[in-house]
Amino acid sequence: MSTLIRWNGAAATSCVDPFVSVADDEPAPDGDVMISFARFQADGDVLLGQDRRVGVRVGPDDAIEALAYDLPRIAVVALVFPKFRDGRAYSTAMVLRTRLGFAGELRAVGEVLLEQAPFMIRCGFDAFEPADGADAEQWGRAARRFRHVYQRAADDREPAFVARLAS
């Protein structure tokens, strides 16, 4: 079980990950499991029917819409950032939160760096496995780095123009 950082909308906390990552060719142990998108396509119904929580690791080339029917039963969707320059997971996060209405944990995994914190939160991520060794305190400071935002996003922060019009 790895350590991860969770964001609750106001603060970042460090916690132990209750999910066990399972390779595609390994049998699923008892308890909560994190499996690949491909394995979910093959074994998802069986695993979801058992007394456990299931997380799905989604790569940048996986079609997230294929999970739409099962999203209410999936506990965690972990979006993979293969490189910090690859922004496809940001778009996938927005689709999950806004179009597909995913309310579970949305986790950023892979090449996840502290400097990405405010942008990931704006897209709807609420859990992170930082690759750069950042701790929860650093993550919290980075997440609150920008006082104003200029457009609406999945985090529902009020844009600056709305605050300006109200005053």
Side-chain angles (χ1 to χ4, degrees):
M1 293 186 199
S2 63
T3 301
L4 71 138
I5 296 173
R6 287 208 171 109
W7 176 254
N8 68 10
T13 56
S14 184
C15 57
V16 175
D17 184 4
F19 288 82
V20 175
S21 288
V22 182
D24 289 347
D25 58 348
E26 292 178 2
D30 292 337
D32 302 336
V33 292
M34 179 71 68
I35 58 174
S36 71
F37 181 83
R39 177 137 186 207
F40 185 81
Q41 296 295 341
D43 301 335
D45 283 335
V46 172
L47 292 169
L48 287 170
Q50 299 170 352
D51 188 26
R52 67 169 82 224
R53 295 183 305 161
V54 175
V56 181
R57 201 173 35 259
V58 179
D61 294 325
D62 295 330
I64 195 66
E65 291 82 4
L67 296 179
Y69 174 77
D70 293 309
L71 282 175
R73 301 185 307 157
I74 295 172
V76 177
V77 174
L79 299 180
V80 178
F81 285 82
K83 299 177 186 175
F84 76 92
R85 296 183 317 244
D86 190 335
R88 292 177 285 177
Y90 290 107
S91 300
T92 302
M94 285 294 292
V95 168
L96 278 165
R97 291 294 195 210
T98 59
R99 191 179 318 152
L100 299 177
F102 180 63
E105 180 179 297
L106 187 53
R107 186 181 298 183
V109 300
E111 196 64 28
V112 176
L113 305 177
L114 181 63
E115 65 191 43
Q116 297 167 305
F119 310 110
M120 288 180 172
I121 290 168
R122 299 257 24 239
C123 292
F125 286 98
D126 53 10
F128 315 89
E129 291 181 8
D132 59 3
D135 64 22
E137 183 179 326
Q138 292 170 313
W139 200 265
R141 280 195 310 270
R144 292 184 299 273
R145 181 178 302 144
F146 303 117
R147 183 174 159 203
H148 299 289
V149 296
Y150 295 100
Q151 60 193 17
R152 297 187 192 284
D155 66 352
D156 292 326
R157 285 181 60 189
E158 185 177 81
F161 72 89
V162 173
R164 218 175 298 129
L165 289 173
S167 60

